[in-house]
């Protein structure tokens, strides 16, 4: 669940040079919960014992990045046939242990990290302030959140649930269901 608070024209104007095909918020220099470099390594997502992974010569301790929010050059995406590359790694993972389903949460994160290894630039971390739904406690100051350009409630605690953090921000933008069929689990809106 994300809120975009910044002007997306800034993202549209991102330029990609050299080998860069996309822009992601990295996990080593961000405000994320994986900012500890030991936790933010590729080896926490990908099985480096897999022979096809070994053939890529990726660095085990390379800084991981988060695929929850990213900007991509679509011309390059098509030219490089990135969809086919991602599908290849996802299909391979069903036959071999490339990243399993538990490493890094499985899903899209590990194959994106493989395909975009050293082929991306770092996204301004204010464009992906994440982990708002990771725990019931507050990890960010009000001033920091006021400067954020995109808020991401990743994690189990969504802002419409009883224990989520930063519900006050979400409440400012919530539009109640005009038919009154949908009610928030944590409270009823009038």
């Amino acid at each position: 669940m994300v809120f975009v608070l910044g002007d997306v024209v800034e993202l549209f104007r991102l330029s990609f040079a050299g080998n860069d095909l996309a822009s992601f918020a990295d996990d080593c220099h961000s405000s994320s919960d994986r900012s500890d470099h030991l936790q933010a390594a590729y080896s926490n997502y990908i099985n480096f014992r897999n022979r096809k992974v070994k053939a890529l010569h990726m660095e085990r301790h390379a800084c991981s990045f988060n695929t929850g929010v990213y900007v991509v050059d679509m011309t390059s995406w098509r030219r490089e046939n990135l969809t086919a590359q991602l599908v290849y790694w996802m299909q391979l993972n069903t036959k071999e242990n490339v990243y399993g389903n538990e490493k890094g949460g499985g899903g899209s994160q590990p194959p994106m990290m493989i395909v975009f290894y050293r082929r991306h630039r770092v996204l301004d971390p204010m464009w992906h302030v994440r982990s708002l739904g990771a725990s019931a406690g507050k990890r960010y100051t009000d001033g920091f959140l006021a400067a954020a350009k995109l808020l991401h409630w990743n994690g189990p605690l969504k802002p419409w649930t009883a224990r989520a953090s930063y519900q006050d921000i979400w409440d400012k933008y919530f539009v109640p269901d005009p038919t009154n069929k949908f009610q928030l689990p944590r409270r009823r809106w009038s």
Side-chain angles (χ1 to χ4, degrees):
M1 195 346 250
V2 299
F3 278 171
V4 177
L5 304 171
D7 186 347
V8 294
V9 170
E10 184 180 329
L11 298 177
F12 179 77
R13 290 185 177 147
L14 283 178
S15 61
F16 298 97
N19 207 28
D20 295 340
L21 304 173
S23 185
F24 299 93
D26 80 15
D27 289 331
C28 297
H29 305 98
S30 73
S31 57
S32 80
D33 58 342
R34 298 185 74 83
S35 59
D36 175 352
H37 189 68
L38 295 176
Q39 292 181 329
Y42 260 60
S43 59
N44 287 324
Y45 292 90
I46 298 165
N47 176 11
F48 276 80
R49 292 183 299 235
N50 179 284
R51 62 185 172 81
K52 292 192 174 145
V53 170
K54 281 182 184 178
L56 298 174
H57 305 288
M58 293 187 298
E59 294 178 27
R60 297 177 53 82
H61 300 295
C63 181
S64 60
F65 55 84
N66 186 282
T67 61
V69 173
Y70 61 96
V71 179
V72 67
D73 176 351
M74 290 304 297
T75 301
S76 295
W77 183 286
R78 287 185 284 275
R79 183 185 67 240
E80 300 286 330
N81 201 8
L82 296 177
T83 300
Q85 292 180 46
L86 291 164
V87 168
Y88 167 79
W89 288 105
M90 289 186 287
Q91 287 177 337
L92 184 63
N93 191 57
T94 65
K95 300 171 187 141
E96 302 176 19
N97 181 11
V98 177
Y99 53 86
N101 289 322
E102 66 285 334
K103 266 190 163 315
S108 65
Q109 181 81 18
M112 294 278 280
M113 290 173 59
I114 292 169
V115 169
F116 287 99
Y117 178 73
R118 293 200 171 156
R119 299 172 81 188
H120 71 281
R121 60 176 281 182
V122 175
L123 182 66
D124 174 353
M126 297 310 283
W127 274 107
H128 195 186
V129 175
R130 57 195 187 268
S131 301
L132 298 178
S135 67
K138 291 195 173 189
R139 62 179 302 121
Y140 302 114
T141 65
D142 291 341
F144 179 80
L145 291 174
K149 298 175 183 178
L150 186 142
L151 302 174
H152 187 181
W153 275 268
N154 57 320
L157 303 175
K158 302 305 180 199
W160 54 85
T161 62
R163 294 181 43 231
S165 299
Y166 310 107
Q167 291 174 329
D168 55 323
I169 297 170
W170 191 80
D171 289 348
K172 287 192 303 189
Y173 300 99
F174 175 71
V175 177
D177 176 7
T179 67
N180 222 13
K181 292 178 184 174
F182 171 77
Q183 295 292 321
L184 291 178
R186 68 179 160 98
R187 72 170 77 132
R188 297 206 177 267
W189 295 82
S190 51

